[in-house]
Amino acid sequence: MKKNITRQRIVHSRNSEIPFWYYRFNRITLVFIFVSFLHLPSALAWAHTPIEVSGQEEGRKLTGLEEIWHDKSGQSSIEEALQAYEQRDFLPLDSAGSSGIQAGAFWSHFALRNNSNQSIKLHIEYVDHQLLGLQAYSRELAGVDPYQQLADLSIYAPFDSRQVEHNRFVFEISIPALSTQELMVKFDSGELGVVFPSMRIWSPQKLQQNSKGEISLLSFLFGGYFLMALFALVGAITIKEKLLYFYSLYCASKILVWGTVLGYTHQYLVSGDFHWSYASLSGAVAILTGLIFARIFLETRRYTPKLDHLLKLMMVNGGFLLLCVLMEFKALSQISMTIALLCYPLVVPIALVRWCQGNSAAAVFAIGWTTLVLGLLVQAMRDLGFVVHNPVNYYWPPVASFVEILAIMAAIGLMVQRLRTQKEQAEKKYLQQLEVSKADLEHQVQLRTQELEIAKAHAELEARTDPLTGIYNRRSFFEESGLLLKLAQRKRIPLGILMLDIDHFKSINDIHGHLIGDQALCATARVIAQHVRDVDVFGRIGGEEFALLVSADAEDTVNIARRVHRDIAGIVIKSVQGPVHFTASIGVACLVGDSDILELLQQADSALYQAKRTGRNRVLEFSPTGISA
């Protein structure tokens, strides 16, 4: 039956009026059209809708993963990439957003459409920090002009050479009104690395606002690291505890590693000759210090000797990693880093073993370390393309590291509490042993307490009095004067102040010696003290300057000053050169309104200065209208 049908079709073809060559020609034509379609220029081969953008992009739109090409050599030029695109080598990326750990470079192709009536400027941000270089090219969609380079970014280039000041790679593009720009972007991960080809689209203002938010978060984290490192260092120095030294170093290494990994070390510290090894170096330091701290904290050498050997091997690998980074052995560094990260979770079961042995602080330590391990696991799954890259899992590892540090601090607190409890138990046992000598001990404590009280009273007295004259010193004078001034203002009590300076005191020291000068000061203090009542405040406020605050009105204050002036003039001090006489200049001021003690002293000092300037050895009173005798 099938044969008959075939034969009939052939006969019909032969008997028809259309020649056989016509069918042959049509088949060849169809094949030619199909092949030509496969090799259309890129402008006609565009199969994906351009991304519509405006001047208010907030980073929510991504450039996409629809057209990605893996350049395994990593050396292809834009012309070679364009040729690969025309050959349809650009394919959707088969992951949640990451290329996984692969060598070479990756190219992304996309288009941005500006439907507005004005030109816009955009910032295109690479979403991660694990990239060695980025090159961006653009041209008009369906245009005949070649691609023009927009950016050539590299971590090895000086930071200030970047178009946009940002810790991650960002390049700028301007799109004219009602036009579409076609872009090719090359992501260079070096010999072996991870690439996230889908980039965020921002307006410049929104990107700047987002950067401020990121910096605020990291400032909080880094500030916390710094404070914990500082407190631990102070505690270590105070109590000479080796554990706190390494905890402080571990906290400081967190600042180093996350600052370097997230790109802030390149931005703020090493803006010039940056190198890939800096991130590995900071990671090696953090791993090594963390393992050393864990070994000391968990006391594995004493309580779990077999597990301690495992920690020692991990520490040896950490040291080897540090050495490989310093010697720039990149392949060995990557192998050693991989081993270190794979072994890092083993610290958790070691901590749980110590918890089972009765160390409650080890359980909290295990929680903190587990938090860190989970953060690193999230980062690994993101890098391998199992989860979508977003700001949450991007900052999860440093936040988890911060939580780990907090948990370890809590564990240290529990350990300190345990040590304190042990100390209290030892003290209690000690007191029980000394019960037989309780009476003698109490007597000794009582004597010691009395000595301390006497010493305290003596120290307070010395702190408040002038050691030479025995009267109030400057600080005490101001304290007592302030109290008396407030009381006088509250109860409307008149107050006056005397500010006194011994005339030519330097000459007394120069001619008769400092011993006679000290005797002159003491004699002056004794003479003034004769005129001091219980409610008055008297003190030495300078070398040969004295101040006396009295509860008296203006007339009585001046009278007191004149009596003091007269009595000082009558002082006689014996010396080798003969009797020494001296006088004093006194400035007087009275409380008016709500003046404070400084204003009152300044007024008296003005009167004193006027007394010295007009010949010394006199009493002058300050008045708002002028100084009078």
Side-chain angles (χ1 to χ4, degrees):
M1 184 66 182
K2 291 182 179 179
K3 292 180 178 179
N4 292 334
I5 294 173
T6 304
R7 186 178 299 110
Q8 289 175 4
R9 289 177 178 174
I10 295 173
V11 171
H12 175 73
S13 298
R14 291 176 178 176
N15 294 333
S16 63
E17 296 178 358
I18 303 175
F20 178 76
W21 61 268
Y22 180 82
Y23 291 100
R24 187 73 174 267
F25 173 80
N26 283 347
R27 290 178 63 185
I28 294 173
T29 303
L30 289 174
V31 171
F32 175 79
I33 293 173
F34 179 75
V35 173
S36 300
F37 178 78
L38 291 179
H39 291 83
L40 282 175
S42 60
L44 298 177
W46 176 260
H48 298 284
T49 305
I51 303 168
E52 295 188 2
V53 292
S54 67
Q56 302 297 322
E57 298 300 331
E58 298 179 347
R60 295 175 183 173
K61 292 182 181 178
L62 301 174
T63 58
L65 302 169
E66 286 77 12
E67 293 187 309
I68 306 298
W69 175 52
H70 184 194
D71 173 17
K72 296 182 180 180
S73 69
Q75 304 298 322
S76 296
S77 63
I78 179 63
E79 291 78 12
E80 293 171 322
L82 183 58
Q83 182 180 3
Y85 180 74
E86 292 172 351
Q87 293 173 356
R88 294 184 175 273
D89 291 335
F90 280 67
L91 301 172
L93 187 65
D94 187 18
S95 74
S98 166
S99 65
I101 302 176
Q102 298 193 56
F106 282 81
W107 289 77
S108 173
H109 179 266
F110 58 93
L112 302 178
R113 172 68 180 172
N114 176 17
N115 287 326
S116 64
N117 293 322
Q118 58 184 1
S119 176
I120 62 174
K121 183 181 294 185
L122 297 174
H123 284 173
I124 312 300
E125 175 205 16
Y126 183 69
V127 298
D128 204 80
H129 50 269
Q130 305 178 63
L131 196 67
L132 297 184
L134 182 147
Q135 297 175 8
Y137 305 86
S138 73
R139 71 177 181 184
E140 281 282 343
L141 183 64
V144 296
D145 295 333
Y147 276 94
Q148 300 295 322
Q149 188 173 59
L150 292 176
D152 186 5
L153 306 174
S154 172
I155 65 167
Y156 301 112
F159 188 86
D160 55 11
S161 65
R162 298 188 181 186
Q163 294 177 338
V164 180
E165 186 177 346
H166 198 277
N167 59 301
R168 294 183 290 276
F169 287 150
V170 178
F171 66 88
E172 186 175 274
I173 181 173
S174 296
I175 306 178
L178 302 175
S179 68
T180 303
Q181 287 288 320
E182 184 181 3
L183 287 91
M184 282 275 195
V185 180
K186 179 182 180 181
F187 308 94
D188 183 10
S189 61
E191 297 177 4
L192 198 65
V194 176
V195 170
F196 297 89
S198 187
M199 295 175 290
R200 284 190 283 259
I201 305 172
W202 297 89
S203 68
Q205 296 80 10
K206 297 296 183 181
L207 177 60
Q208 187 176 16
Q209 293 175 6
N210 183 74
S211 298
K212 290 180 180 179
E214 291 186 56
I215 291 175
S216 298
L217 170 64
L218 290 172
S219 297
F220 173 78
L221 296 180
F222 290 171
Y225 287 138
F226 176 76
L227 288 177
M228 286 184 281
L230 182 62
F231 290 155
L233 180 61
V234 172
I237 295 174
T238 303
I239 65 176
K240 294 180 175 57
E241 175 57 52
K242 180 173 66 173
L243 175 69
L244 294 180
Y245 278 115
F246 278 100
Y247 178 73
S248 175
L249 186 60
Y250 188 40
C251 292
S253 70
K254 295 287 187 178
I255 302 176
L256 178 65
V257 66
W258 291 120
T260 304
V261 167
L262 297 177
Y264 291 99
T265 300
H266 189 193
Q267 183 174 1
Y268 295 109
L269 297 181
V270 190
S271 59
D273 299 327
F274 196 79
H275 195 266
W276 66 265
S277 62
Y278 294 165
S280 301
L281 181 63
S282 60
V285 171
I287 290 173
L288 186 59
T289 53
L291 292 173
I292 295 174
F293 169 77
R295 182 170 179 260
I296 297 174
F297 180 86
L298 297 175
E299 301 176 288
T300 54
R301 180 180 179 182
R302 179 178 179 183
Y303 295 103
T304 55
K306 292 183 179 180
L307 294 177
D308 185 63
H309 294 318
L310 177 60
L311 279 179
K312 286 182 179 178
L313 289 176
M314 294 169 64
M315 289 165 55
V316 169
N317 179 66
F320 178 72
L321 170 61
L322 188 61
L323 180 63
C324 290
V325 172
L326 292 175
M327 300 297 292
E328 298 189 8
F329 297 152
K330 191 171 184 179
L332 290 177
S333 298
Q334 292 174 343
I335 295 173
S336 180
M337 178 68 78
T338 303
I339 295 173
L341 293 177
L342 290 175
C343 294
Y344 224 54
L346 297 178
V347 178
V348 176
I350 296 176
L352 293 177
V353 170
R354 290 289 294 119
W355 174 55
C356 292
Q357 292 177 343
N359 188 344
S360 58
V364 180
F365 179 91
I367 293 174
W369 204 272
T370 301
T371 305
L372 173 63
V373 171
L374 289 176
L376 296 177
L377 178 62
V378 168
Q379 180 176 345
M381 294 183 66
R382 183 194 70 205
D383 291 349
L384 294 175
F386 294 113
V387 296
V388 178
H389 190 295
N390 56 51
V392 174
N393 57 43
Y394 179 71
Y395 282 109
W396 191 333
V399 171
S401 182
F402 183 77
V403 173
E404 174 224 4
I405 289 295
L406 288 177
I408 291 177
M409 175 172 277
I412 293 176
L414 290 176
M415 184 187 70
V416 172
Q417 182 63 34
R418 176 171 57 86
L419 294 175
R420 182 179 298 173
T421 302
Q422 294 176 354
K423 179 182 177 182
E424 290 176 353
Q425 292 175 351
E427 289 177 350
K428 183 178 180 180
K429 183 178 180 180
Y430 177 74
L431 291 175
Q432 290 175 350
Q433 293 175 351
L434 294 179
E435 191 65 28
V436 292
S437 57
K438 181 179 179 180
D440 182 54
L441 181 60
E442 289 180 350
H443 178 66
Q444 293 180 11
V445 171
Q446 184 177 6
L447 290 177
R448 181 58 179 163
T449 302
Q450 292 176 353
E451 292 175 358
L452 290 175
E453 290 177 351
I454 294 172
K456 179 182 177 182
H458 182 69
E460 291 178 351
L461 181 62
E462 288 184 346
R464 294 177 58 82
T465 59
D466 177 52
L468 179 63
T469 60
I471 61 176
Y472 281 143
N473 57 18
R474 182 182 181 87
R475 188 188 72 178
S476 299
F477 175 79
F478 276 99
E479 291 177 356
E480 297 297 330
S481 297
L483 296 175
L484 180 57
L485 183 63
K486 290 180 181 178
L487 177 63
Q489 290 173 339
R490 188 169 61 251
K491 295 189 176 183
R492 304 294 181 184
I493 300 173
L495 274 185
I497 190 167
L498 284 67
M499 196 162 179
L500 181 147
D501 186 273
I502 298 176
D503 296 332
H504 304 295
F505 182 73
K506 184 176 183 302
S507 298
I508 297 175
N509 280 332
D510 294 342
I511 297 173
H512 302 281
H514 288 280
L515 181 60
I516 299 300
D518 291 346
Q519 292 180 15
L521 291 173
C522 293
T524 302
R526 286 194 299 271
V527 166
I528 299 174
Q530 295 174 2
H531 301 275
V532 177
R533 299 165 296 179
D534 292 340
V535 294
D536 301 334
V537 180
F538 175 43
R540 181 185 176 194
I541 61 174
E544 66 272 16
E545 291 182 346
F546 298 86
L548 173 60
L549 186 66
V550 297
S551 299
D553 56 19
E555 183 179 357
D556 290 341
T557 301
V558 173
N559 290 334
I560 293 172
R562 288 171 178 167
R563 291 196 297 271
V564 169
H565 178 262
R566 179 199 61 205
D567 293 346
I568 290 175
I571 295 175
V572 179
I573 299 174
K574 297 180 180 180
S575 72
V576 178
Q577 289 83 359
V580 179
H581 301 271
F582 55 89
T583 60
S585 300
I586 303 176
V588 178
C590 295
L591 176 63
V592 177
D594 296 330
S595 300
D596 58 18
I597 188 63
L598 291 177
E599 293 177 0
L600 202 57
L601 270 174
Q602 186 176 5
Q603 294 170 2
D605 187 58
S606 297
L608 175 60
Y609 174 76
Q610 186 66 19
K612 288 183 175 182
R613 199 166 65 88
T614 55
R616 293 186 172 85
N617 189 22
R618 62 193 65 206
V619 177
L620 292 183
E621 179 185 3
F622 176 83
S623 173
T625 60
I627 298 175
S628 60

